[in-house]
């Protein structure tokens, strides 16, 4: 580990039951070092690893309990005291929680036929077991209604798929968070908001689902801020980032149908989202809308261009109708945005360009300063949903880069 991230190394080693695992340190930061300086650092690191291997016995695992059941905690029936304890033990997200009483958790568990000790997923970076019961406890803390549990099961299965790279998303210095998109009948059943202010406050299902997912990632996955969650600043979306697609005002096939599911299936998609960028334009032609969208993407500081990432667009219904009326399919829009948003490699800082040359050489060949770099590896990597209410505001959602969105069916 670089010396600034040794605490992360120790926290992850402890989470994996090797709290005394020795760590070879290198100085931080090293991104600006010359090749010769990096070689020198690497040689010292190799010597440290060799010495540790020769002088130290690999510390034994402290093991883990085979009992995956949650333990009961008896407390006075005092909302303030419960929240104080949860703050002290870092079980909350910084906001007040609903005390997960036995009765409240049992009410949620009664809504699923799955056994309470079934492991739905193992959550990086601490690789804690997200059992049905643990998911229900965190859902109770967030205020979820019982019908939300199947959505959370599907979201966790999606987020722990290898291509999503939850380990990277949970521990990076990047502000990335998990954006949860819900399609199909379950969104209507839960009363989710896909229209006006769908990414904002005011809707119980959007808010509690997004918050429950965050609490699970933190409490089961062990991604506590300042420990294994190393985000330099983070973003408000790390409290919650959740919406459904406005399928009623979508002139194209909805996201889940585009991805091979039936229209009557309920589906969850997870995206590694860096944040949101408003795209407000009052133009009334498809060509101009796409030009404005494409001009919004290029930025020398973005991960998508460096890695060939997973960028997204939330298209407002008004823009969607103009684009559809012009005879454009979603595939047409993706192709044109991919072509029109290419960025000259000369805009990148030298170390960022060197990193891009390493990561995208196989795809793009030799990258020179005049190379035009696409935002992602192919047009179909651009994600599009239709959401929001009245107004000419669409949204660009840049990605973490080292991630791929994943969709999973919600099985009730």
């Amino acid at each position: 580990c670089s010396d600034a991230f040794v605490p992360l190394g120790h926290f992850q080693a402890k989470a994996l039951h090797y709290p005394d695992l020795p760590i070879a340190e290198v100085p931080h930061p090293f991104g600006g070092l010359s090749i010769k300086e990096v070689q020198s650092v690497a040689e010292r690191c190799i010597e440290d690893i060799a010495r540790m291997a020769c002088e130290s016995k690999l510390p034994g695992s402290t093991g883990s309990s085979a009992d995956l059941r949650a333990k009961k905690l008896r407390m006075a029936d005092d909302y303030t005291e419960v929240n104080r304890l949860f703050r002290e033990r870092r079980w909350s997200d910084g906001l007040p929680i609903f005390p997960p009483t036995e009765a409240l958790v049992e009410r949620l568990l009664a809504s699923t036929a799955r056994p309470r000790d079934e492991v739905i997923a193992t959550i990086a970076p601490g690789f804690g077991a997200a059992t049905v019961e643990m998911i229900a406890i965190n859902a109770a803390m967030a205020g979820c209604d019982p019908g939300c549990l199947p959505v959370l099961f599907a979201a966790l299965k999606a987020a722990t798929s290898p291509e999503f790279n939850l380990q990277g998303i949970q521990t990076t210095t990047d502000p990335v968070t998990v954006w949860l998109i819900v399609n199909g009948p379950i969104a209507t059943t839960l009363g989710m908001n896909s229209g006006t202010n769908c990414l904002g406050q005011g809707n119980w299902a959007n808010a509690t689902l997004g918050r429950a997912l965050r609490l699970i990632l933190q409490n089961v996955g062990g991604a506590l801020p300042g420990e294994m969650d190393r985000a330099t600043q983070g973003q408000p979306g790390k409290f919650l980032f959740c919406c459904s697609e406005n399928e009623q005002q979508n002139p194209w096939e909805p996201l889940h149908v585009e991805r091979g599911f039936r229209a009557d299936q309920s589906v969850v998609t997870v995206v590694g989202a860096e944040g949101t960028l408003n795209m407000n334009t009052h133009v009334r032609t498809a060509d101009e809308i796409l030009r404005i969208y494409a001009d919004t993407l290029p930025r020398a500081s973005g991960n998508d261009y460096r890695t060939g990432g997973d960028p997204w667009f939330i298209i407002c219904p008004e823009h969607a109708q103009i684009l559809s009326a012009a005879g454009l399919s979603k595939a047409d829009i993706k192709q044109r945005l991919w072509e029109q948003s290419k960025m000259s490699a000369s805009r990148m800082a030298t170390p960022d360009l060197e990193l891009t040359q390493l990561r995208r050489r196989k795809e793009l060949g030799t990258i020179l300063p005049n190379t035009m770099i696409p935002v992602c590896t192919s047009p179909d990597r651009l994600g599009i949903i239709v959401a929001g209410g009245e107004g000419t505001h669409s949204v660009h959602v840049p990605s973490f880069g080292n991630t791929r969105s994943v969709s999973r069916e919600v099985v009730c």
Side-chain angles (χ1 to χ4, degrees), residues 72-86 88-89 91 97 99-101:
K72 295 180 183 178
L73 181 66
R74 296 195 179 278
M75 291 189 67
D77 187 11
D78 186 321
Y79 177 84
T80 302
E81 281 301 301
V82 172
N83 270 278
R84 180 190 59 78
L85 178 69
F86 275 55
E88 289 176 354
R89 299 195 178 186
W91 292 342
I97 55 93
T101 62

Side-chain angles (χ1 to χ4, degrees), residues 52-70:
M52 290 175 182
C54 294
E55 296 178 358
S56 306
K57 290 183 64 177
L58 182 67
S61 169
T62 57
S64 60
S65 172
D67 183 10
L68 297 177
R69 291 289 301 276

Side-chain angles (χ1 to χ4, degrees), residues 224-243:
L224 285 168
E227 293 185 3
M228 287 197 278
D229 181 341
R230 302 293 298 184
T232 304
Q233 290 93 16
Q235 58 156 303
K238 294 188 78 165
F239 281 101
L240 59 97
F241 197 163
C242 176
C243 70

